[in-house]
Amino acid sequence: MAQLTVSYNREGEKQTIDTRSKVLGEIVINHEGIPEDERGGTAKQLLASSALYCFCGALGKALETRGAEYDRITGTATLETGIDEKKRARVVGITLDVTVHMDEDFGFIFDRVEKIMKKGCLVTASLHEAFPMTYNLHLEED
């Protein structure tokens, strides 16, 4: 079983997540000078970002593995919150809207990969039991 560890440190208004990664390094969240009513949502943004990043990475790899060439992949993640039966705030769904920009010659590969990706990636498939994930994939032919 694979394992990943990140660490967290808070000093005053500065919070640091050390990912221990050469790519990400430290993620610094600093509320200094930010009004109280504008500080919320950071964890939700990180969750939505993680889901979108993982999904787009898996999508790109799935296309490449099948020989498709694409110019770029763009996308957005929309996270929805609500209240559970115990009146606690909860994430109730994430919608990913992702577009692959590629030559129409690879459209048949996109169609096959789209079906596979409806099952999600490591991060999003892990969330399926917690709340609905919606995957909207689009092909924009160049």
Side-chain angles (χ1 to χ4, degrees), residues 13-140:
E13 297 298 321
K14 180 181 176 186
Q15 301 169 71
T16 305
I17 300 169
D18 185 353
T19 67
R20 302 178 185 175
S21 162
K22 290 180 182 179
V23 176
L24 285 176
E26 291 184 341
I27 299 170
V28 177
I29 302 157
N30 191 346
H31 289 142
E32 190 174 313
I34 306 295
E36 189 72 34
D37 63 340
E38 295 178 20
R39 294 182 182 190
T42 304
K44 293 180 283 190
Q45 291 168 340
L46 289 169
L47 177 60
S49 297
S50 179
L52 183 61
Y53 175 79
C54 183
F55 186 82
C56 289
L59 172 60
K61 187 66 173 173
L63 290 166
E64 293 164 12
T65 299
R66 288 158 182 80
E69 298 174 10
Y70 57 89
D71 295 320
R72 68 187 194 282
I73 297 173
T74 59
T76 60
T78 304
L79 183 143
E80 184 178 347
T81 58
I83 305 295
D84 71 5
E85 67 281 347
K86 295 181 181 179
K87 306 293 185 215
R88 300 175 295 189
R90 294 288 184 254
V91 174
V92 297
I94 297 177
T95 299
L96 301 181
D97 289 290
V98 177
T99 301
V100 178
H101 303 263
M102 63 193 307
D103 188 282
E104 63 185 32
D105 292 345
F106 297 109
F108 72 99
I109 296 175
F110 174 85
D111 292 340
R112 283 190 290 169
V113 169
E114 179 181 24
K115 291 175 185 154
I116 294 166
M117 293 306 300
K118 293 289 184 177
K119 295 178 183 174
C121 63
L122 172 68
V123 170
T124 63
S126 298
L127 299 172
H128 285 176
E129 290 183 29
F131 50 77
M133 290 291 311
T134 303
Y135 306 104
N136 299 317
L137 276 81
H138 309 281
L139 173 61
E140 186 170 305

